[in-house]
DNA sequence: TCTTTTATATGATTAATATCATGTTTTTTC
DNA sequence: GAAAAAACATGATATTAATCATATAAAAGA
């Protein structure tokens, strides 16, 4: 459903929200080991996420990647979209240019409600929301 | 959400259900033109679908691809799965090997219900069901 | 049986993802 | 300021998906 890149990005963003802040940064290398993602690829992804303000970064000694309060307010959907693009999840099942109610394909009415629900949840859940659940041990973060 | 191949396959299977039967076969070339899919690629996909009994085919003059009653009973999910594989839609958002209730990732409980609903609908809807709606002009088939 | 018509099987090419590698810039610390 | 440590930028390689091309086999009809 998602690309590897999006999965890696989500894991990294969630991990950073849980384990870092401006005073506790983390190296790309260490993040990659913790969440089990290829090192060099992780670094490239993190740089892209930082450029788009999904996470924060600092160069030089004592530098690294981290999550600040503003970063924790990004939604899960935003993370997916900066990597996989806007239409990865919303696109038509039959490849129509536009997926909407006005000119729906035969599958649209069938799956649109549940798919929209799922997307709406991803859109309304922030990294902060998730990390709360994790801190309360409601769920665990896999690597 | 789906690969191009799955989208092409769904369009072709639905189109064949509507416009062909054992006495009215259609050439790969013509199908590709009608549903707007690259000719050679369409042919390869149709051959794969025929081998897996998702559609039917006959060689030689008066041959071509078509849909028989048994073909019309395949579900939308089956079509997607023979092309994209079992786990394309069910796989974990964070890349866990198994996505299940027992060891769920932090996103699982959030999206699992709506995603399962969507998959269940794809699994319970046959090509025949869809073509009925199309014949009743409830929806239209895009190309 | 021969020719034509079609799917089938297979492989080649192209494009997109994913992965790896490395030189450059910024920042800290001494 | 010089050295070291980190992200940053960029490009190279590898793998997978998408597309194209063609030779082979089967079926129909003359
Ligand atoms: S128009 Fe095809 S899924 Fe919405
Ligand atoms: S375990 Fe991650 S989505 Fe189900």
């Amino acid at each position: 459903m998602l690309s590897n890149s999006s999965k890696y990005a989500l894991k990294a963003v969630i991990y950073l929200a849980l384990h870092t802040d401006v005073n506790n940064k983390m190296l790309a290398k260490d993040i990659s080991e913790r969440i089990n993602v290829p090192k060099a690829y992780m670094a490239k992804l993190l740089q892209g996420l930082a450029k788009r303000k999904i996470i924060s970064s600092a160069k030089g000694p004592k530098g690294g990647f981290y999550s600040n309060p503003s970063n924790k307010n990004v939604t899960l959907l935003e993370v997916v979209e900066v990597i996989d693009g806007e239409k990865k999840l919303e696109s038509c099942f039959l490849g129509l240019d536009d997926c909407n109610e006005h000119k729906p394909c035969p599958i649209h009415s069938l799956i649109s409600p549940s798919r929209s629900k799922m997307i709406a949840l991803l859109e309304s859940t922030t990294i902060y929301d998730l990390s709360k659940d994790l801190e309360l041990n409601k769920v665990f973060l896999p690597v």
Side-chain angles (χ1 to χ4, degrees), chain A residues 94-108:
Chain A
L94 296 187
L96 284 186
D97 286 342
D98 294 310
C99 171
N100 57 51
E101 305 295 334
H102 184 245
K103 259 205 168 187
C105 76
I107 300 182
H108 184 93

Side-chain angles (χ1 to χ4, degrees), chain A residues 9-10 12-14 16-17 49-50 52-56 66-82 121-131:
Chain A
L10 282 171
V13 169
I14 297 168
L16 289 173
L49 291 169
R52 289 146 184 274
K53 312 283 188 193
I54 304 294
I55 60 176
S56 303
Y66 63 99
S67 182
N68 69 23
S70 145
N71 298 141
K72 295 196 172 80
N73 279 327
V74 309
T75 67
L76 298 176
L77 190 62
E78 286 178 278
V79 177
V80 172
E81 286 183 341
V82 301
L121 289 167
L122 293 171
E123 195 173 12
S124 63
T125 303
T126 66
I127 301 301
Y128 174 79
D129 297 332
L130 265 200
S131 60

Side-chain angles (χ1 to χ4, degrees), chain A residues 10-23:
Chain A
L10 282 171
K11 281 205 286 188
V13 169
I14 297 168
Y15 190 87
L16 289 173
L18 282 172
H19 297 102
T20 67
D21 58 44
V22 68
N23 296 314

